[in-house]
PDB file of all heavy atoms in Angstrom:
ATOM      1  N   PHE A1588      24.476   8.842 -17.977  1.00 87.00           N
ATOM      2  CA  PHE A1588      23.373   9.801 -17.856  1.00 87.00           C
ATOM      3  C   PHE A1588      22.875   9.920 -16.428  1.00 87.00           C
ATOM      4  O   PHE A1588      22.719   8.910 -15.749  1.00 87.00           O
ATOM      5  CB  PHE A1588      22.190   9.400 -18.754  1.00 87.00           C
ATOM      6  CG  PHE A1588      22.476   9.624 -20.201  1.00 87.00           C
ATOM      7  CD1 PHE A1588      23.027   8.612 -20.975  1.00 87.00           C
ATOM      8  CD2 PHE A1588      22.229  10.860 -20.771  1.00 87.00           C
ATOM      9  CE1 PHE A1588      23.319   8.822 -22.306  1.00 87.00           C
ATOM     10  CE2 PHE A1588      22.513  11.075 -22.110  1.00 87.00           C
ATOM     11  CZ  PHE A1588      23.059  10.052 -22.885  1.00 87.00           C
ATOM     12  N   ARG A1589      22.624  11.135 -16.044  1.00 82.00           N
ATOM     13  CA  ARG A1589      22.056  11.384 -14.721  1.00 82.00           C
ATOM     14  C   ARG A1589      20.621  10.874 -14.717  1.00 82.00           C
ATOM     15  O   ARG A1589      19.850  11.173 -15.631  1.00 82.00           O
ATOM     16  CB  ARG A1589      22.052  12.905 -14.485  1.00 82.00           C
ATOM     17  CG  ARG A1589      21.298  13.334 -13.265  1.00 82.00           C
ATOM     18  CD  ARG A1589      22.226  13.949 -12.262  1.00 82.00           C
ATOM     19  NE  ARG A1589      21.521  14.170 -11.025  1.00 82.00           N
ATOM     20  CZ  ARG A1589      21.254  15.368 -10.540  1.00 82.00           C
ATOM     21  NH1 ARG A1589      21.646  16.436 -11.196  1.00 82.00           N
ATOM     22  NH2 ARG A1589      20.620  15.480  -9.400  1.00 82.00           N
ATOM     23  N   ARG A1590      20.287  10.112 -13.699  1.00 79.00           N
ATOM     24  CA  ARG A1590      18.914   9.588 -13.641  1.00 79.00           C
ATOM     25  C   ARG A1590      17.951  10.700 -13.260  1.00 79.00           C
ATOM     26  O   ARG A1590      18.292  11.602 -12.517  1.00 79.00           O
ATOM     27  CB  ARG A1590      18.828   8.444 -12.647  1.00 79.00           C
ATOM     28  CG  ARG A1590      19.476   7.195 -13.215  1.00 79.00           C
ATOM     29  CD  ARG A1590      19.392   6.051 -12.260  1.00 79.00           C
ATOM     30  NE  ARG A1590      18.002   5.756 -11.905  1.00 79.00           N
ATOM     31  CZ  ARG A1590      17.682   4.954 -10.900  1.00 79.00           C
ATOM     32  NH1 ARG A1590      18.616   4.412 -10.163  1.00 79.00           N
ATOM     33  NH2 ARG A1590      16.418   4.722 -10.636  1.00 79.00           N
ATOM     34  N   TYR A1591      16.778  10.628 -13.804  1.00 80.00           N
ATOM     35  CA  TYR A1591      15.769  11.644 -13.538  1.00 80.00           C
ATOM     36  C   TYR A1591      15.026  11.250 -12.278  1.00 80.00           C
ATOM     37  O   TYR A1591      14.403  10.191 -12.214  1.00 80.00           O
ATOM     38  CB  TYR A1591      14.807  11.732 -14.715  1.00 80.00           C
ATOM     39  CG  TYR A1591      14.020  13.006 -14.707  1.00 80.00           C
ATOM     40  CD1 TYR A1591      14.576  14.183 -15.206  1.00 80.00           C
ATOM     41  CD2 TYR A1591      12.738  13.050 -14.190  1.00 80.00           C
ATOM     42  CE1 TYR A1591      13.874  15.370 -15.189  1.00 80.00           C
ATOM     43  CE2 TYR A1591      12.024  14.227 -14.161  1.00 80.00           C
ATOM     44  CZ  TYR A1591      12.594  15.382 -14.666  1.00 80.00           C
ATOM     45  OH  TYR A1591      11.890  16.550 -14.636  1.00 80.00           O
ATOM     46  N   ASP A1592      15.117  12.109 -11.254  1.00 78.00           N
ATOM     47  CA  ASP A1592      14.547  11.744  -9.955  1.00 78.00           C
ATOM     48  C   ASP A1592      13.142  12.323  -9.797  1.00 78.00           C
ATOM     49  O   ASP A1592      12.955  13.519  -9.578  1.00 78.00           O
ATOM     50  CB  ASP A1592      15.459  12.276  -8.845  1.00 78.00           C
ATOM     51  CG  ASP A1592      14.974  11.823  -7.481  1.00 78.00           C
ATOM     52  OD1 ASP A1592      13.973  11.082  -7.424  1.00 78.00           O
ATOM     53  OD2 ASP A1592      15.616  12.211  -6.474  1.00 78.00           O
ATOM     54  N   LEU A1593      12.176  11.449  -9.912  1.00 83.00           N
ATOM     55  CA  LEU A1593      10.787  11.914  -9.809  1.00 83.00           C
ATOM     56  C   LEU A1593      10.428  12.327  -8.389  1.00 83.00           C
ATOM     57  O   LEU A1593       9.476  13.048  -8.171  1.00 83.00           O
ATOM     58  CB  LEU A1593       9.823  10.812 -10.265  1.00 83.00           C
ATOM     59  CG  LEU A1593       9.828  10.539 -11.758  1.00 83.00           C
ATOM     60  CD1 LEU A1593       8.934   9.367 -12.086  1.00 83.00           C
ATOM     61  CD2 LEU A1593       9.369  11.773 -12.524  1.00 83.00           C
ATOM     62  N   ASN A1594      11.222  11.849  -7.429  1.00 80.00           N
ATOM     63  CA  ASN A1594      10.893  12.174  -6.036  1.00 80.00           C
ATOM     64  C   ASN A1594      11.730  13.321  -5.482  1.00 80.00           C
ATOM     65  O   ASN A1594      11.718  13.578  -4.294  1.00 80.00           O
ATOM     66  CB  ASN A1594      11.081  10.942  -5.148  1.00 80.00           C
ATOM     67  CG  ASN A1594      10.164   9.827  -5.589  1.00 80.00           C
ATOM     68  OD1 ASN A1594       8.984  10.063  -5.824  1.00 80.00           O
ATOM     69  ND2 ASN A1594      10.705   8.638  -5.745  1.00 80.00           N
ATOM     70  N   ALA A1595      12.450  13.996  -6.384  1.00 77.00           N
ATOM     71  CA  ALA A1595      13.281  15.107  -5.911  1.00 77.00           C
ATOM     72  C   ALA A1595      12.385  16.144  -5.234  1.00 77.00           C
ATOM     73  O   ALA A1595      11.309  16.445  -5.729  1.00 77.00           O
ATOM     74  CB  ALA A1595      13.999  15.742  -7.092  1.00 77.00           C
ATOM     75  N   PRO A1596      12.838  16.639  -4.070  1.00 75.00           N
ATOM     76  CA  PRO A1596      11.991  17.609  -3.377  1.00 75.00           C
ATOM     77  C   PRO A1596      11.956  18.934  -4.143  1.00 75.00           C
ATOM     78  O   PRO A1596      12.984  19.410  -4.582  1.00 75.00           O
ATOM     79  CB  PRO A1596      12.697  17.791  -2.024  1.00 75.00           C
ATOM     80  CG  PRO A1596      14.093  17.317  -2.242  1.00 75.00           C
ATOM     81  CD  PRO A1596      14.099  16.375  -3.395  1.00 75.00           C
ATOM     82  N   VAL A1597      10.790  19.470  -4.313  1.00 81.00           N
ATOM     83  CA  VAL A1597      10.674  20.775  -4.975  1.00 81.00           C
ATOM     84  C   VAL A1597       9.826  21.692  -4.118  1.00 81.00           C
ATOM     85  O   VAL A1597       9.031  21.234  -3.300  1.00 81.00           O
ATOM     86  CB  VAL A1597      10.007  20.662  -6.368  1.00 81.00           C
ATOM     87  CG1 VAL A1597      10.942  20.077  -7.375  1.00 81.00           C
ATOM     88  CG2 VAL A1597       8.697  19.891  -6.285  1.00 81.00           C
ATOM     89  N   GLU A1598      10.021  22.961  -4.331  1.00 80.00           N
ATOM     90  CA  GLU A1598       9.234  23.917  -3.581  1.00 80.00           C
ATOM     91  C   GLU A1598       7.823  23.950  -4.142  1.00 80.00           C
ATOM     92  O   GLU A1598       7.618  23.836  -5.341  1.00 80.00           O
ATOM     93  CB  GLU A1598       9.865  25.294  -3.742  1.00 80.00           C
ATOM     94  CG  GLU A1598      10.378  25.850  -2.446  1.00 80.00           C
ATOM     95  CD  GLU A1598      11.244  27.047  -2.699  1.00 80.00           C
ATOM     96  OE1 GLU A1598      10.711  28.063  -3.148  1.00 80.00           O
ATOM     97  OE2 GLU A1598      12.470  26.929  -2.453  1.00 80.00           O
ATOM     98  N   ARG A1599       6.848  24.174  -3.243  1.00 76.00           N
ATOM     99  CA  ARG A1599       5.466  24.282  -3.682  1.00 76.00           C
ATOM    100  C   ARG A1599       5.268  25.627  -4.366  1.00 76.00           C
ATOM    101  O   ARG A1599       5.728  26.649  -3.892  1.00 76.00           O
ATOM    102  CB  ARG A1599       4.583  24.254  -2.440  1.00 76.00           C
ATOM    103  CG  ARG A1599       3.336  23.468  -2.590  1.00 76.00           C
ATOM    104  CD  ARG A1599       2.431  23.762  -1.417  1.00 76.00           C
ATOM    105  NE  ARG A1599       1.158  24.208  -1.953  1.00 76.00           N
ATOM    106  CZ  ARG A1599       0.173  23.377  -2.232  1.00 76.00           C
ATOM    107  NH1 ARG A1599       0.305  22.119  -1.968  1.00 76.00           N
ATOM    108  NH2 ARG A1599      -0.946  23.826  -2.750  1.00 76.00           N
ATOM    109  N   ILE A1600       4.615  25.603  -5.502  1.00 77.00           N
ATOM    110  CA  ILE A1600       4.344  26.891  -6.137  1.00 77.00           C
ATOM    111  C   ILE A1600       2.841  27.111  -6.178  1.00 77.00           C
ATOM    112  O   ILE A1600       2.058  26.168  -6.125  1.00 77.00           O
ATOM    113  CB  ILE A1600       4.908  26.968  -7.577  1.00 77.00           C
ATOM    114  CG1 ILE A1600       4.425  25.767  -8.404  1.00 77.00           C
ATOM    115  CG2 ILE A1600       6.400  27.066  -7.577  1.00 77.00           C
ATOM    116  CD1 ILE A1600       4.510  26.007  -9.876  1.00 77.00           C
ATOM    117  N   ASN A1601       2.472  28.359  -6.255  1.00 75.00           N
ATOM    118  CA  ASN A1601       1.059  28.673  -6.370  1.00 75.00           C
ATOM    119  C   ASN A1601       0.673  28.664  -7.834  1.00 75.00           C
ATOM    120  O   ASN A1601       0.865  29.624  -8.549  1.00 75.00           O
ATOM    121  CB  ASN A1601       0.779  30.059  -5.787  1.00 75.00           C
ATOM    122  CG  ASN A1601       0.809  30.018  -4.284  1.00 75.00           C
ATOM    123  OD1 ASN A1601       0.243  29.116  -3.670  1.00 75.00           O
ATOM    124  ND2 ASN A1601       1.481  30.977  -3.684  1.00 75.00           N
ATOM    125  N   SER A1602       0.166  27.553  -8.257  1.00 76.00           N
ATOM    126  CA  SER A1602      -0.231  27.474  -9.656  1.00 76.00           C
ATOM    127  C   SER A1602      -1.690  27.879  -9.755  1.00 76.00           C
ATOM    128  O   SER A1602      -2.352  28.104  -8.749  1.00 76.00           O
ATOM    129  CB  SER A1602      -0.044  26.052 -10.153  1.00 76.00           C
ATOM    130  OG  SER A1602      -0.793  25.200  -9.339  1.00 76.00           O
ATOM    131  N   ALA A1603      -2.188  27.965 -10.954  1.00 78.00           N
ATOM    132  CA  ALA A1603      -3.594  28.321 -11.132  1.00 78.00           C
ATOM    133  C   ALA A1603      -4.476  27.172 -10.653  1.00 78.00           C
ATOM    134  O   ALA A1603      -4.170  26.012 -10.897  1.00 78.00           O
ATOM    135  CB  ALA A1603      -3.866  28.598 -12.595  1.00 78.00           C
ATOM    136  N   VAL A1604      -5.495  27.481  -9.920  1.00 80.00           N
ATOM    137  CA  VAL A1604      -6.443  26.447  -9.499  1.00 80.00           C
ATOM    138  C   VAL A1604      -7.853  26.944  -9.779  1.00 80.00           C
ATOM    139  O   VAL A1604      -8.072  28.129  -9.973  1.00 80.00           O
ATOM    140  CB  VAL A1604      -6.341  26.128  -7.985  1.00 80.00           C
ATOM    141  CG1 VAL A1604      -5.061  25.414  -7.675  1.00 80.00           C
ATOM    142  CG2 VAL A1604      -6.494  27.374  -7.137  1.00 80.00           C
ATOM    143  N   PHE A1605      -8.796  26.029  -9.769  1.00 85.00           N
ATOM    144  CA  PHE A1605     -10.185  26.431  -9.961  1.00 85.00           C
ATOM    145  C   PHE A1605     -10.693  27.148  -8.723  1.00 85.00           C
ATOM    146  O   PHE A1605     -10.323  26.806  -7.600  1.00 85.00           O
ATOM    147  CB  PHE A1605     -11.055  25.215 -10.201  1.00 85.00           C
ATOM    148  CG  PHE A1605     -10.890  24.641 -11.575  1.00 85.00           C
ATOM    149  CD1 PHE A1605     -10.527  23.316 -11.746  1.00 85.00           C
ATOM    150  CD2 PHE A1605     -11.106  25.438 -12.685  1.00 85.00           C
ATOM    151  CE1 PHE A1605     -10.365  22.793 -13.014  1.00 85.00           C
ATOM    152  CE2 PHE A1605     -10.955  24.915 -13.958  1.00 85.00           C
ATOM    153  CZ  PHE A1605     -10.582  23.591 -14.122  1.00 85.00           C
TER     154      PHE A1605
END
Side-chain angles (χ1 to χ4, degrees):
F1588 288 91
R1589 171 115 189 247
R1590 286 181 58 193
Y1591 198 82
D1592 185 2
L1593 289 175
N1594 299 314
V1597 286
E1598 244 168 67
R1599 220 192 125 90
I1600 52 160
N1601 285 315
S1602 57
V1604 290
F1605 285 124

